[in-house]
Every structure is written in C-alpha cells, then in structure tokens.
Amino acid sequence: MGAVNGPPSAVRHLHYASWSPSSLPIRCSTLGLPRRPFLFLLRSPPPPLRRLGNNRVRCSAERNALFNRIAPVYDNLNDLLSLGQHRSWKRMCVSWSGAQRGNRVLDLCCGSGDLVFFLSQKVGTEGEVYGLDFSSEQLSIASRREDQYWKACYKNIEWIEGDALDLPFSDSYFDAITIGYGLRNLIDRHKAMREIFRVLKPGSKVSILDFNKSTSSLVNMLQEWIIDNVVVPTATEYGLSQEYKYLKTSIAEFLTGKELEKLAKEVGFSKAKHYEIGGGFMGNLVATR
Ligand SMILES: C/C(=C\Cc1cc(O)c2ccccc2c1O)CCC[C@H](C)CCC[C@H](C)CCCC(C)C
Ligand SMILES: C[S@@+](CC[C@H](N)C(=O)[O-])C[C@H]1O[C@@H](n2cnc3c(N)ncnc32)[C@H](O)[C@@H]1O
C-alpha cells in the first residue's frame, strides 16, 4: 500500500448501509442516500481487541475492530505470506463465480478490494460491481487503491459500508457473488448464506474462497505450523500478533469442504461443490441458486 496524500477522495463512492459498530455514529441508511465523505473525521478509535480463551474474537464489533487494525498492513502481508499466490486464488474465485461482461455482481467482505478490482475488469463498463464490507479502514484503503491504480472500468464500482448478515439489496438482484476470506469471519454463516441466496438471481452462482479446513491431518499440521512459525512471527513485527493468532482459531472453527457443501444445500442452493486449491491450503465453494 503506497502512501496517498490528502483525504481519501474516492470515499465519494462510499455508501453507508445498515452496519453500525458501537463506536461509530452511523445511522441506518440504504443505497442512494447522500454520501458523507468526511465521516472518517468523526470516528473514535476502534475498541481494543478483547481476547477470549484461545484467541477467539466472538462478536461482530470486535471483529470489525480487528479488521480496522490490520488494514494498513493487510495487503502487504498477504503478498508476502502467500508469496503472491493469493492473487491467483482470487482470480480463480472470480472465474468460478461465472461473472460475465455486463453483469451486476457483488463482492462480500471485500476488504481492500482485490476481488472487486478483478470483477470490475470482468464485467466491464456496462457492468456494475458492489464491494461491501463493515470495516471503514479496509474500505478507505480500497477506494484509495481504486484512485491509485486507475482503470476506465473502475467507474463501475460502488463501495458500501454494510453488514454481510443484513444485505441492503432487494431479492434476486445479482448475476454473481464472490467472497474471499470472508465467510469464516462471519458470526452467523447460516444467516450469511441465506442472505446470499436471497440476493442472487435463480441460476446464478456464489464463489467462496477461504482457507481449507482440510480432512488431511498432514495438511492441517502444515497449515498450523506455517501460521505459528511464519505468519504470527511476521505479524508480531507490526504489533499484530493476537490479530494473526485469531487466524488459526478461526480456521479450526471453520467448516470442511463437505460441511460447506451441506450448508449451501440447506439454505436452498441446487448445486454445491467445494474445490481444494493451493496444495490443499485453500478451498473454494461454488454454489448455484
Ligand atoms: C490470503 C492470506 C490471508 C488472508 C487473511 C484472512 C483472514 O481471515 C485473516 C484474519 C485475520 C488476520 C489476517 C487475515 C488474513 O490475512 C494469506 C495467506 C497466507 C497463508 C497463511 C500462507 C500460505 C502459504 C503458502 C504460500 C501456500 C502455498 C502452498 C503450496 C502451493 C503448497
Ligand atoms: C480477511 S478479510 C478479506 C478481505 C478480502 N475479501 C480479501 O480477500 O482480501 C475479511 C473481511 O471481512 C470483513 N467482514 C467480517 N465480518 C463482516 C460483516 N459482518 N459484514 C461485512 N464485512 C465483514 C472484514 O472487515 C474484512 O475486511
């Protein structure tokens, strides 16, 4: 993330939906209401991360604070720790979503926007891309990156500060949905999947990229070893050890590929298939409404 002078001008695209962490004086609103570009000046610092046993970060407000805190280093650490591989996994996720030129698409838990930028290029200027996240810091970085790496198609992007568990969209609104490393971090995955199902058009797909909770104990051991011995020590250099220890806990509490397929079927998806990628470290669920 390069430094950018001045206020984040691309917050012009930012809409505020129903998410409202306790520290933010954000009232509920929906798409199309006036933008409030200087809201960031009113923001009080995020609450400190409350650690529960085993690095669990249980409620949404604490997770929001965690993602605000890691935002300044998030992109650089992903590049470094995955040796750049996360971009190939994200490209694959977009490709599996079935997004086509001219489509209206959504990236949930968009963070600093990687998947949104890939989707934007995919659907082109005739398409529409919505990136939704509840972390104002992640969205600020996403909109700065939009300015920094300007491309004509990026005009099709709208950033929305909102809650993935209560989407500010009408039923059957999207041609495709992606989520990268988001579902695992949601407090209520069942509710999230029901919301995704609701806003997808019949026949359309959601593509969900995340760490794979493998059924192979060798892959799990290797994954845990890398987090303990590479990821956490690196994050500690930036004062973010607890935040990255949460990663291991969250993977342990996540669903296996088969469990993800079952969850998708339970909420009504007609097809659901989970693919292991990145040597089994990562997984991608593709579900068709
Ligand atoms: C994409 C990466 C991390 C995303 C990420 C997701 C979260 O939920 C977080 C929660 C809290 C803090 C941070 C994050 C977060 O950064 C980077 C993943 C890197 C992996 C940990 C390491 C991958 C190692 C290898 C390069 C994989 C290659 C395997 C090989 C093909 C055998
Ligand atoms: C690990 S990051 C992934 C960011 C991005 N998708 C990527 O692949 O780089 C997880 C993101 O989920 C967001 N998130 C977690 N819970 C959320 C919720 N209930 N509503 C909206 N965003 C949420 C966080 O703010 C964070 O930006």
Side-chain angles (χ1 to χ4, degrees), residues 25-26 47 72 85 91 102 112 115 117 119 129 135 155 184 257 264 274:
I26 298 175
Q85 289 303 300
R91 277 202 186 87
S112 57
L115 284 149
F117 298 125
L119 282 168
V129 186
S135 159
K155 285 198 191 84
R184 179 177 34 84
H274 184 265

Side-chain angles (χ1 to χ4, degrees), residues 67 74 90 109-111 133-135 138 162-164 180-181 185-186:
F67 286 109
Y74 180 75
K90 286 170 179 170
C109 301
C110 66
D133 202 285
F134 71 1
S135 159
Q138 295 275 359
D163 188 354
Y181 303 99
N185 291 303
L186 296 173

Side-chain angles (χ1 to χ4, degrees), residues 47-62:
L49 182 63
R50 184 154 57 91
R51 271 162 237 132
L52 293 147
N54 243 351
N55 298 297
R56 290 196 170 97
V57 183
R58 286 213 177 276
C59 76
S60 268
E62 284 171 11

Side-chain angles (χ1 to χ4, degrees), residues 77-125:
L77 280 184
N78 280 354
D79 285 343
L80 185 71
L81 296 169
S82 75
L83 310 173
Q85 289 303 300
H86 71 108
R87 290 183 205 284
S88 325
W89 303 327
K90 286 170 179 170
R91 277 202 186 87
M92 234 181 263
C93 173
V94 165
S95 165
W96 274 329
S97 75
Q100 304 287 330
R101 192 152 281 277
N103 279 178
R104 182 192 290 143
V105 298
L106 169 67
D107 180 42
L108 277 177
C109 301
C110 66
S112 57
D114 280 347
L115 284 149
V116 170
F117 298 125
F118 290 140
L119 282 168
S120 167
Q121 292 170 55
K122 194 80 160 178
V123 303
T125 44

